[in-house]
Amino acid sequence: MARRLEGKRIALTGPRKAEDLSKLVENMGGIPLIRLAQGTVFLDDIDLRNGLIAWVENRPDWAVFTTGVGLDALFEMAEDMGIAEEYWDLLRNTLIAARGYKTVNGLKKRQLEPVVRDDDGSTEGLIRAFSTYDLKGKTVMIQLHGDPAPKLIQWLEEQGARTLQILPYRHIQPADESLELLLADLLGGRIDAVTFTSTPQVRFLMDHAARSGRLTELIEALSGPVVAVAVGKVTAQGLVEAGIPRIIAPREERMGSMMVELARYYAGESHPFFERDNKLN
């Protein structure tokens, strides 16, 4: 894949690993432009402490983890509160479900094994894996991933489960100036491809464009000269729901794979996400 992004201007909208991605783009011949569409991810200590206390006191039947970052945050807070051993022992005696390979790796690092895991990194994949289990009357604690998870929660409640939720970190909107710079570059033809690593980045950009009366222009840009790139299926789904007709996404949710897939697309070796996974149409 060396130099296969030669001369392409790639906007990076995610704060995590932006420098590493920039170096990868440069190594592939591209020009990285850091244009953050997501603000600082921060932990809400009070809510997190209260959530952990409720978790230990309620001892749910199921624990659902959706991100490795969230899992780490929970254990770090449990350590700070002096209940890490109690929390780990609780999880050893709780049925665990996990979404994403980073989450599964984080659990295995702590000698915890999920009995349910997705097959593709998506919420839909997690629901498919859950579908063989009887959840009626069960209590399910869900670690959210910076945003609500209405589809998963609705499905669990439809199965008769009682859900509890804990949000270890939140995605916040960046300054309007940051979003305006990204939007102006997209509409001004100064970007060839824009990468998204979470659904909030998509939402924040779309909301900013809508507030300034340029949403239609943005969708047209992302339908024509600018290629929208998603890190994985969940983020791609967010772009689908925003009305973007062409999305590039790797089968494996990895940032490096995202850039490789974009290079393959430019080389004519990869099909857009819509064509490859038309079940999302």
Side-chain angles (χ1 to χ4, degrees):
M1 292 298 162
R3 315 303 294 178
R4 291 182 70 173
L5 293 178
E6 191 72 52
K8 299 296 184 183
R9 297 157 298 183
I10 314 297
L12 309 175
T13 66
R16 291 189 64 242
K17 297 190 176 180
E19 291 186 6
D20 291 343
L21 268 180
S22 292
K23 291 177 182 177
L24 178 58
V25 171
E26 290 174 347
N27 290 340
M28 298 174 75
I31 304 165
L33 302 170
I34 296 179
R35 298 289 185 266
L36 300 185
Q38 178 182 313
T40 304
V41 176
F42 65 93
L43 303 180
D44 189 325
D45 280 4
I46 295 176
D47 286 350
L48 191 53
R49 287 175 183 273
N50 290 340
L52 274 171
I53 291 170
W55 195 326
V56 172
E57 289 180 348
N58 284 281
R59 303 187 76 83
D61 302 292
W62 283 90
V64 180
F65 294 96
T66 61
T67 63
V69 173
L71 175 65
D72 290 343
L74 287 167
F75 269 95
E76 287 168 9
M77 180 58 74
E79 187 74 38
D80 185 63
M81 295 169 64
I83 61 169
E85 187 171 345
E86 183 180 3
Y87 181 55
W88 179 73
D89 188 62
L90 180 154
L91 291 176
R92 283 199 310 132
N93 293 283
T94 303
L95 294 169
I96 296 176
R99 182 188 70 83
Y101 77 96
K102 291 182 181 178
T103 311
V104 172
N105 289 345
L107 288 165
K108 288 182 177 179
K109 183 175 70 175
R110 296 174 171 90
Q111 291 78 53
L112 297 169
E113 190 75 30
V115 296
V116 167
R117 63 168 299 183
D118 63 276
D119 55 9
D120 62 358
S122 72
T123 299
E124 290 80 3
L126 187 60
I127 289 173
R128 284 195 298 273
F130 247 137
S131 62
T132 59
Y133 290 85
D134 181 9
L135 299 172
K136 188 173 183 180
K138 304 297 185 183
T139 300
V140 182
M141 176 65 81
I142 307 166
Q143 172 257 309
L144 299 174
H145 48 87
D147 266 340
K151 184 179 294 186
L152 175 60
I153 292 167
Q154 180 182 344
W155 182 84
L156 287 169
E157 292 178 348
E158 286 173 352
Q159 308 313 302
R162 172 176 173 254
T163 60
L164 303 170
Q165 301 160 43
I166 189 166
L167 189 64
Y169 60 98
R170 301 177 189 274
H171 299 300
I172 62 172
Q173 182 170 307
D176 283 346
E177 291 79 7
S178 178
L179 289 169
E180 181 57 34
L181 178 59
L182 172 59
L183 181 59
D185 281 348
L186 288 167
L187 300 184
R190 295 183 288 275
I191 289 174
D192 296 297
V194 55
T195 65
F196 298 94
T197 56
S198 73
T199 53
Q201 294 160 18
V202 178
R203 186 177 72 251
F204 293 147
L205 175 60
M206 295 295 168
D207 288 349
H208 178 77
R211 287 195 302 272
S212 60
R214 291 172 287 173
L215 180 58
T216 300
E217 289 180 65
L218 174 58
I219 292 176
E220 288 175 353
L222 294 173
S223 305
V226 183
V227 179
V229 190
V231 73
K233 203 166 190 176
V234 174
T235 306
Q237 181 66 51
L239 286 161
V240 169
E241 293 171 358
I244 307 306
R246 178 193 57 208
I247 302 153
I248 305 304
R251 293 185 182 278
E252 295 184 352
E253 188 172 336
R254 289 176 170 83
M255 293 188 185
S257 299
M258 172 177 67
M259 303 314 305
V260 170
E261 193 71 18
L262 177 61
R264 293 183 66 240
Y265 172 76
Y266 279 129
E269 300 172 0
S270 173
H271 294 291
F273 185 76
F274 251 139
E275 296 177 13
R276 195 186 71 211
D277 295 299
N278 56 19
K279 62 187 176 182
L280 291 178
N281 280 302

